[in-house]
Amino acid sequence: QVQLQESGPGLVKPSQTLSLTCTVSGDSISSGSYYWSWIRQPAGKGLEWIGRIYTSGTTNYNPSLKSRVTMSVDTSKNQFSLKLSSVTAADTAVYYCARINFGENYYYFYMDVWGKGTTVTVSS
Amino acid sequence: EIVLTQSPGTLSLSPGERATLSCRASHSVSSTFLAWYQQKPGQAPRLLIYGASSRATGIPDRFSGSGSGTDFTLIISRLEPEDFAVYYCQQYGSSEVTFGGGTKVEIK
């Protein structure tokens, strides 16, 4: 059973870079037709997609965050990571990592495995 | 960007009642790329429906999804106590993902 676990600092100062890692357990991050994604949720609000990465390093980012986001993958550690630069209080949220499943023949798109989330607060 | 609008914002119902949740897209969405999630307080979202109408593994058959183009619906046929939660629709298109704003199903 695949599990995801987010990790990283819970407090980041304004203008600094938020860095989070998602560790995949129960299977190789390179197996199957999966992308890996980050999603965030400010307290009391809805879900916002941040971006996705494939094990080849191919990425797609939310256009609204694209200028500040960098995602990377380390297959040797079974991990993928998120960096969000120049953070402000508006970046305070619970950050989730998730697996994107395309199903057979890349026919579908859905997020079938989620981490429990990690809270990141941006404050001085 | 495709905007997903969910309605109603809040649905107040009693256990045993039927819940009908709507997700409307600003442009046509491929039904194979439309999913629904359930989220309870303090928990991560859980996949309910993918491909607009296929139930995810372990999801009870009281949950059903339908729709195409710009209009999609999630129906919970008979609400169980554990179904009171927030529900989100999500679409994928042009290499971008968007979520609806959510519908909260609360106990009346």
Side-chain angles (χ1 to χ4, degrees):
Chain A
Q1 179 182 353
V2 176
Q3 293 184 316
L4 306 182
Q5 178 67 60
E6 304 89 351
S7 60
L11 181 64
V12 182
K13 288 182 167 46
S15 79
Q16 292 191 342
T17 296
L18 177 162
S19 296
L20 296 175
T21 296
C22 183
T23 300
V24 180
S25 60
D27 199 4
S28 167
I29 196 172
S30 301
S31 70
S33 302
Y34 304 121
Y35 272 71
W36 305 91
S37 191
W38 289 95
I39 303 97
R40 69 181 183 179
Q41 184 174 38
K45 297 189 177 181
L47 301 166
E48 180 180 32
W49 177 69
I50 300 171
R52 65 170 182 170
I53 187 166
Y54 191 58
T55 50
S56 64
T58 301
T59 56
N60 296 102
Y61 301 138
N62 184 326
S64 69
L65 298 169
K66 187 175 182 178
S67 62
R68 299 194 291 130
V69 172
T70 303
M71 292 184 184
S72 60
V73 62
D74 187 336
T75 54
S76 67
K77 294 183 178 180
N78 236 30
Q79 295 176 335
F80 61 104
S81 299
L82 167 71
K83 290 188 185 298
L84 181 66
S85 64
S86 305
V87 297
T88 68
D91 296 309
T92 295
V94 176
Y95 285 75
Y96 296 101
C97 57
R99 185 178 79 174
I100 297 171
N101 195 331
F102 281 94
E104 292 186 12
N105 299 316
Y106 288 84
Y107 190 65
Y108 297 107
F109 182 106
Y110 51 90
M111 301 181 199
D112 62 346
V113 182
W114 293 68
K116 293 183 178 180
T118 187
T119 299
V120 178
T121 301
V122 178
S123 175
S124 55
Chain B
E1 173 187 327
I2 294 179
V3 176
L4 299 179
T5 301
Q6 291 189 240
S7 61
T10 302
L11 202 49
S12 298
L13 296 168
S14 300
E17 290 194 295
R18 176 186 179 95
T20 302
L21 288 66
S22 173
C23 175
R24 180 161 293 176
S26 59
H27 298 85
S28 185
V29 171
S30 170
S31 60
T32 63
F33 293 158
L34 192 288
W36 289 91
Y37 302 84
Q38 176 194 67
Q39 187 179 33
K40 297 179 180 179
Q43 296 185 16
R46 176 176 72 143
L47 176 69
L48 293 177
I49 300 286
Y50 66 93
S53 60
S54 297
R55 277 187 298 278
T57 303
I59 301 303
D61 60 8
R62 64 179 181 272
F63 290 92
S64 64
S66 63
S68 64
T70 59
D71 289 299
F72 297 89
T73 301
L74 175 70
I75 291 176
I76 311 171
S77 59
R78 294 176 312 280
L79 283 164
E80 296 287 342
E82 62 268 27
D83 299 336
F84 291 91
V86 179
Y87 294 83
Y88 294 96
C89 56
Q90 166 257 303
Q91 72 81 35
Y92 166 74
S94 301
S95 298
E96 291 181 30
V97 175
T98 53
F99 290 92
T103 290
K104 181 180 182 180
V105 179
E106 65 176 21
I107 299 176
K108 186 174 181 180

